[in-house]
Amino acid sequence: MPTLTTIFCETRPHTQEPAEWTGEARFLLDPPGDLLGALHAAHLHDLGHPDDLSVQVSAEALFEDGEITGRTVLSAADLATLTAHLPEAHHARVLAWAAFAYALEGQGNDARFVIWFVE
């Protein structure tokens, strides 16, 4: 069972030319098993990480102390699907994450959530 969940929101300008992702915020959800179970129930688990992670997120993963498992990337819209599978105590928090991402998207950015677990 994982002992830690790492959740980063990354953004990049929504432009015609490809832009680099930047780490915007780090989120926590405890206990990690709640998120892991919800990801499995929503069929959003282990989707992998893309090759174009931000420098901040890549560095964080590189220096993680334990074994990284459950790599996945979600959109703000995916969080609505995920929320239905989480205990009610987490709903407001996860909906706030989605609102944060939608606000960034409203400013002309792409946003995504990069997630992994540490065992």
Side-chain angles (χ1 to χ4, degrees):
M1 186 57 73
T3 59
L4 178 68
T5 305
T6 302
I7 306 150
F8 274 97
C9 180
E10 293 184 314
T11 61
R12 69 176 177 192
H14 185 74
T15 61
Q16 299 260 344
E17 297 295 321
E20 291 189 20
W21 290 93
T22 301
E24 286 288 340
R26 180 179 181 161
F27 300 107
L28 301 173
L29 190 116
D30 194 42
D34 287 356
L35 181 58
L36 182 61
L39 287 167
H40 279 272
H43 304 288
L44 295 170
H45 61 90
D46 296 321
L47 300 177
H49 287 166
D51 293 333
D52 63 348
L53 293 174
S54 67
V55 172
Q56 298 94 327
V57 173
S58 294
E60 186 80 20
L62 181 65
F63 292 107
E64 199 66 73
D65 284 338
E67 178 186 350
I68 294 176
T69 62
R71 291 175 173 90
T72 200
V73 176
L74 304 178
S75 67
D78 291 331
L79 295 180
T81 301
L82 184 65
T83 301
H85 300 282
L86 283 166
E88 190 173 335
H90 298 309
H91 289 188
R93 177 184 309 268
V94 174
L95 293 174
W97 300 347
F100 180 75
Y102 284 131
L104 293 167
E105 290 172 353
Q107 295 176 333
N109 296 295
D110 295 323
R112 66 184 182 188
F113 294 89
V114 179
I115 300 170
W116 68 82
F117 296 88
V118 178
E119 295 188 23

